[in-house]
Amino acid sequence: MDELITLVSTLANRIMANLRGSLENMSPEKWIRLVIIAGAYALLRPYIIKLGGRAQMNLHEQEAAEEMLPPGKKAAISPNELRGRVQLPEDSDSDEDEEDTGATTGHSSATDWGKKARRRQRDMIKKLLDAEEKRLQETKDEEEDKDIEEFLVG
């Protein structure tokens, strides 16, 4: 245990002595050089990280595309080019159409769930908008009441 304490204290003393010696021997040119290097690093680091992220993403996309292809074949179209070309069926607002399409055409229930979730989302947004309009109307009414009260009292 004593050896560990002496080792830690020796390391701390050496680090402090080396740091103090380095800072005392710094000339103005060395300080300016240090500030320039640290500032350039701070300014360029986000761009370097973005560049590395893009390169890594491209590499991952290429590896994923190569894994999906049989050996020796190349894809005719990339997944990114497919985006926006596929037309999704439009959902209708009537409940009868949604219930009939699942039973008569034999589609999976996953698409029906999507329609229900979209309808719930629309309903929730409508409720939130109505609540916000109601709140705004109440605040407007309160302001009008204050204006009328001001004229009655004054």
Side-chain angles (χ1 to χ4, degrees):
M1 185 68 176
D2 291 335
E3 293 174 7
L4 183 63
I5 293 173
T6 57
L7 178 65
V8 170
S9 65
T10 305
L11 284 175
N13 290 336
R14 286 183 182 172
I15 290 173
M16 293 299 290
N18 289 339
L19 184 62
R20 186 178 301 119
S22 297
L23 293 178
E24 288 175 354
N25 294 333
M26 293 278 287
S27 66
E29 293 86 18
K30 289 183 180 180
W31 279 109
I32 292 171
R33 183 183 297 163
L34 180 65
V35 168
I36 289 173
I37 290 171
Y41 174 76
L43 290 175
L44 294 178
R45 185 174 184 265
Y47 299 111
I48 293 170
I49 289 175
K50 270 188 197 175
L51 183 65
R54 271 194 228 127
Q56 190 176 16
M57 182 62 73
N58 289 338
L59 182 65
H60 285 304
E61 286 177 357
Q62 287 175 358
E63 288 175 359
E66 289 174 3
E67 287 178 4
M68 297 185 74
L69 293 175
K73 290 200 174 186
K74 196 172 191 180
I77 190 168
S78 72
N80 288 335
E81 292 174 1
L82 275 178
R83 289 189 183 126
R85 289 190 185 181
V86 178
Q87 297 293 327
L88 297 175
E90 295 183 16
D91 58 335
S92 61
D93 290 335
S94 65
D95 293 336
E96 298 168 0
D97 292 341
E98 290 176 2
E99 291 172 1
D100 291 341
T101 57
T104 58
T105 60
H107 292 298
S108 67
S109 62
T111 58
D112 294 337
W113 180 87
K115 290 178 183 179
K116 290 178 185 177
R118 285 192 295 271
R119 187 179 339 114
R120 279 195 309 266
Q121 185 70 23
R122 275 193 308 256
D123 293 342
M124 185 181 70
I125 290 173
K126 286 178 186 178
K127 287 178 184 178
L128 289 173
L129 287 174
D130 290 340
E132 182 66 17
E133 288 176 4
K134 184 178 178 182
R135 187 189 64 80
L136 290 174
Q137 183 65 31
E138 288 175 358
T139 56
K140 185 178 179 182
D141 290 343
E142 288 175 6
E143 289 177 7
E144 289 176 359
D145 290 343
K146 288 179 184 178
D147 290 341
I148 293 172
E149 206 175 289
E150 178 182 311
F151 290 119
L152 291 175
V153 173

